[in-house]
Amino acid sequence: MDNGRTLAAARTVISGLLALIFCYVTLFVPLPYYIFQPGTADDLQGMVHVQGGGYPETGRFLLTTVGVSNATLAKMVEARFRGYEVHRQTAVRQPGESEEEYGERQHQVMLTSQSNAIQAAYRAAGITYTIANKGIVVLSTAEGLPADGVLEPGDVIFKADGTPVDAGSKLDAIISGKKEGDAVRITYKRGSVAMEASFTLRALQTGEPNNRKLGIGIVTADRKAVQAARQTDAVSVQAGEIGGPSAGFMFALETYGLLLPDDLSRGYTIAGTGTIDPQGVVGAIGGARHKASAAHRAGADILFVPRGDQSAAEALKQAGKLHSAMKVVEVGTLQEAITYLESLPPRG
């Protein structure tokens, strides 16, 4: 009898442990996939700031996002039932790119989209501006090369051998005057802390046998600042943790609306997505159906999407599934969106 009770108790304990292990694996063990789903629709009035205060708006411009999360078994099951997208991490990140490097690349792409948006808005509003270089940002380091383990994604290089460098071309010019085995002294900032390190130059693989290039094994991007001729027209953007390039178009619309006295929003809730270049050309994006869901959930009256790819069809299909009353509008340029909004009767 005692042996039977002991055996039953052992089975109960083992079953409980197996259940706990199963729950832990299902809920917490990460899988090598990303899940893409509807994100947020954020009010840009809290992100875009004009030095002179900007003009008031009766409506709202919303930045739509795609939510990206690391997959677990439970999230994969949920994604299948909800129709979310699932992609291998290796298909999203660049070859050899770490999670940290991917995040920093997305952050720098976002900063570039902000710069492009401000330039496009200034051009549309007829505001004179200049571009200034503000340093060289480290995006990633190559394994086994001198910078590996010393420099980190997000570090900003501002001197080489004591000479100020504010663009990658200036750093390349200093390195090109050296030979393999020479040292280069790099001064950089990590956050607000200035640091310095010396690196031995190595020959890098360029893929071209007759094109040998020296370096320390870093991928960089130039950090630029857009400066308006009048200080009161200066624009800054604080986007928080949002990354990627597809916010540029909506940043440009909000910036333009704040710079001019005519109320561009006309009292409507206007969502949108799309990349933008300094000339105001709106480019393709991904995840249009997820962004349509986010816009609908936020009560958008209008959803702007780029012309020329599948975004409009995808957004229209999703809006239909949701029985949404919002209007999906295709645009190819910032000026097209401005003209469309200016043609609307003011609400209220």
Side-chain angles (χ1 to χ4, degrees):
M1 292 289 291
D2 290 341
N3 287 341
R5 290 195 189 97
T6 301
L7 185 59
R11 285 174 176 166
T12 300
V13 171
I14 292 171
S15 297
L17 286 174
L18 290 174
L20 286 173
I21 292 170
F22 175 78
C23 289
Y24 178 80
V25 169
T26 301
L27 296 173
F28 300 109
V29 174
L31 300 175
Y33 296 91
Y34 288 128
I35 294 174
F36 291 71
Q37 62 194 69
T40 58
D42 301 307
D43 195 331
L44 285 167
Q45 283 189 353
M47 298 184 190
V48 180
H49 306 276
V50 176
Q51 184 77 21
Y55 290 96
E57 296 170 323
T58 56
R60 297 188 300 157
F61 289 103
L62 304 181
L63 165 63
T64 56
T65 68
V66 174
V68 182
S69 60
N70 290 305
T72 61
L73 186 58
K75 287 184 178 180
M76 292 281 278
V77 173
E78 180 188 12
R80 180 173 181 84
F81 280 103
R82 290 182 175 268
Y84 297 158
E85 296 176 55
V86 177
H87 299 281
R88 277 194 170 274
Q89 293 179 353
T90 51
V92 176
R93 301 203 300 249
Q94 294 179 350
E97 187 175 51
S98 67
E99 185 83 29
E100 181 187 15
E101 290 169 344
Y102 171 68
E104 182 58 32
R105 178 165 61 86
Q106 291 296 98
H107 175 64
Q108 294 304 322
V109 168
M110 165 60 83
L111 293 179
T112 299
S113 77
Q114 293 172 10
S115 173
N116 289 350
I118 295 170
Q119 291 180 67
Y122 281 165
R123 284 171 178 266
I127 293 172
T128 304
Y129 68 92
T130 56
I131 305 272
N133 291 320
K134 292 294 184 180
I136 307 162
V137 183
V138 177
L139 299 182
S140 64
T141 59
E143 187 176 356
L145 289 176
D148 184 27
V150 182
L151 296 180
E152 296 180 359
D155 289 346
V156 180
I157 298 170
F158 61 94
K159 284 184 182 179
D161 289 341
T163 301
V165 289
D166 56 12
S169 58
K170 294 184 179 181
L171 176 60
D172 290 342
I174 290 174
I175 291 175
S176 66
K178 298 176 179 288
K179 60 182 184 297
E180 187 173 359
D182 286 350
V184 60
R185 190 172 76 258
I186 299 295
T187 309
Y188 59 99
K189 279 187 178 180
R190 182 168 296 161
S192 60
V193 180
M195 308 175 79
E196 190 172 272
S198 185
F199 302 93
T200 301
L201 293 173
R202 295 262 299 273
L204 305 177
Q205 297 291 333
T206 64
E208 301 176 21
N210 297 323
N211 182 19
R212 283 169 57 86
K213 183 178 180 181
L214 297 180
I216 60 175
I218 54 175
V219 176
T220 65
D222 290 348
R223 177 170 287 178
K224 297 180 180 291
V226 183
Q227 299 175 338
R230 295 187 308 172
Q231 188 60 33
T232 53
D233 292 329
V235 174
S236 61
V237 180
Q238 285 84 42
E241 297 300 314
I242 299 171
S246 61
F249 166 55
M250 290 307 293
F251 282 137
L253 264 183
E254 174 69 18
T255 301
Y256 180 89
L258 292 174
L259 287 170
L260 296 179
D262 188 30
D263 181 13
L264 186 65
S265 70
R266 298 292 195 270
Y268 296 90
T269 298
I270 304 150
T273 182
T275 65
I276 201 163
D277 69 11
Q279 286 70 44
V281 177
V282 179
I285 50 87
R289 65 188 175 98
H290 300 311
K291 293 175 181 179
S293 294
H296 167 72
R297 193 168 54 206
D301 301 303
I302 298 164
L303 174 64
F304 282 125
V305 292
R307 178 183 294 118
D309 68 351
Q310 297 302 310
S311 297
E314 194 177 319
L316 278 167
K317 183 177 180 181
Q318 186 65 14
K321 284 183 178 179
L322 298 170
H323 305 290
S324 178
M326 71 181 176
K327 185 172 184 179
V328 177
V329 180
E330 293 181 79
V331 291
T333 65
L334 173 63
Q335 188 57 55
E336 282 184 38
I338 292 170
T339 301
Y340 176 85
L341 292 175
E342 288 176 341
S343 71
L344 296 177
R347 170 174 281 179

